[in-house]
Amino acid sequence: MENLLTIMNFSHVYEREKFFIDKKYNWIDCTNINGTNGYCDENAFNEINQKLKGLEPKGIHFIDSGNYHYVSELWINKIKRDFNLIVFDHHSDMVKPSFGDILSCGSWIMDAIDKNKFLKKVFIIGLSKEQKQTIPNKYLNKVKCICDYDLKSINKERLCGFLDDKYPVYISIDKDVLSEKVVDTSWDQGLMSFDELKTLLHIIISNYKIIGLDICGENDMRKVIQVRNNDKINSKLVNFLKEEDNFL
């Protein structure tokens, strides 16, 4: 499978969207895998990994709602060189699960830092001040944040100064970083406009080597208006990313 657009369908939500149908894409059906919603047990992890066998981290990967954001870890595990991770998210995704050491959508960044020897630094953009405070102190040497209230003051110079330019980057976008005025996800959301997201992505893509990118944040409640709005944003994102000269 060599297409650069991959759709990972967990909650059936992509069956009601159209943004990808006129493009070449890989369809990864994950709807029959148990133990995936919010948390990912060992059997589910192995099953998902098997479905991604043969695929490279290069490309645009849609990974369903924010409940499945941990799938980003499976994609970055395919990177076998030093890299940085840039995450657009209203949450830190660095909160220890309430039971055991199971991988979850709320802990995957912490898990990746602990286990991935090639991951050098993580940059989280658009999280809330409260979520920044959930990051354990022992990870602060590896994690840098731009909170949602600082977004208005970010320009090219400040963003490039914030990022480490030594390594190529993998980008992960949770659409809950966007304002509810832009799109409705299944989680509480940030303050970012779509134009702000595009501007930040343009700066990153223009100044850094991009390994690949994934997108989550579908609204898996699947009400018609929510699905339609997410479909529209997904289409805009794909078209924007494909127009960027240095992307992929």
Side-chain angles (χ1 to χ4, degrees), residues 161-209:
F162 167 74
L163 300 172
D164 187 334
D165 62 0
K166 184 177 181 180
Y167 301 109
V169 303
Y170 183 92
I171 301 171
S172 183
I173 301 170
D174 189 331
K175 287 182 292 182
D176 71 19
V177 77
L178 294 167
S179 163
E180 291 179 353
K181 296 178 182 179
V182 180
V183 70
D184 186 1
T185 72
S186 300
W187 292 79
D188 59 296
Q189 295 180 223
L191 305 175
M192 192 180 294
S193 71
F194 188 67
D195 283 344
E196 287 173 330
L197 175 61
K198 288 198 302 181
T199 297
L200 295 173
L201 285 171
H202 175 74
I203 294 170
I204 295 167
I205 293 167
S206 299
N207 290 277
Y208 300 91
K209 172 65 178 176

Side-chain angles (χ1 to χ4, degrees), residues 233-247:
I233 290 297
N234 290 342
S235 180
K236 288 181 177 181
L237 273 171
V238 170
N239 291 335
F240 164 76
L241 291 168
K242 291 199 168 186
E243 288 173 1
E244 290 290 300
D245 289 340
N246 295 328
F247 186 71

Side-chain angles (χ1 to χ4, degrees), residues 45-58:
F45 187 90
N46 292 334
E47 282 193 62
I48 299 168
N49 245 340
Q50 185 62 32
K51 286 181 177 288
L52 297 182
K53 190 175 181 180
L55 288 174
E56 297 296 323
K58 182 178 181 180

Side-chain angles (χ1 to χ4, degrees), residues 27-195:
W27 180 268
I28 310 294
D29 182 16
C30 301
T31 56
N32 292 323
I33 304 176
N34 295 321
T36 62
N37 193 355
Y39 296 88
C40 183
D41 63 32
E42 185 176 355
N43 289 336
F45 187 90
N46 292 334
E47 282 193 62
I48 299 168
N49 245 340
Q50 185 62 32
K51 286 181 177 288
L52 297 182
K53 190 175 181 180
L55 288 174
E56 297 296 323
K58 182 178 181 180
I60 305 170
H61 322 298
F62 281 84
I63 58 177
D64 214 290
S65 82
N67 289 10
Y68 306 95
H69 203 170
Y70 61 79
V71 173
S72 299
E73 184 173 352
L74 282 78
W75 282 108
I76 66 174
N77 284 347
K78 294 174 174 287
I79 302 170
K80 302 305 179 185
R81 53 176 166 161
D82 293 345
F83 72 100
N84 288 333
L85 173 64
I86 299 176
V87 184
F88 289 86
D89 202 316
H90 189 52
H91 306 87
S92 72
D93 288 0
M94 296 192 67
V95 179
K96 190 174 177 63
S98 54
F99 55 92
D101 292 323
I102 191 169
L103 177 63
S104 78
C105 61
S107 67
W108 71 272
I109 293 179
M110 193 160 48
D111 196 67
I113 293 172
D114 288 340
K115 297 178 180 178
N116 193 319
K117 67 179 182 180
F118 297 107
L119 177 56
K120 296 305 175 184
K121 284 188 179 180
V122 178
F123 303 90
I124 308 175
I125 300 174
L127 78 170
S128 68
K129 181 179 180 180
E130 293 76 17
Q131 281 289 309
K132 183 178 180 180
Q133 293 171 348
T134 68
I135 300 173
N137 288 336
K138 72 174 185 176
Y139 294 101
L140 294 180
N141 64 326
K142 282 254 188 174
V143 180
K144 295 175 69 175
C145 302
I146 297 177
C147 291
D148 50 11
Y149 56 81
D150 284 330
L151 290 172
K152 297 295 184 184
S153 63
I154 296 300
N155 55 25
K156 176 181 176 180
E157 288 70 28
R158 288 198 63 190
L159 183 59
C160 291
F162 167 74
L163 300 172
D164 187 334
D165 62 0
K166 184 177 181 180
Y167 301 109
V169 303
Y170 183 92
I171 301 171
S172 183
I173 301 170
D174 189 331
K175 287 182 292 182
D176 71 19
V177 77
L178 294 167
S179 163
E180 291 179 353
K181 296 178 182 179
V182 180
V183 70
D184 186 1
T185 72
S186 300
W187 292 79
D188 59 296
Q189 295 180 223
L191 305 175
M192 192 180 294
S193 71
F194 188 67
D195 283 344

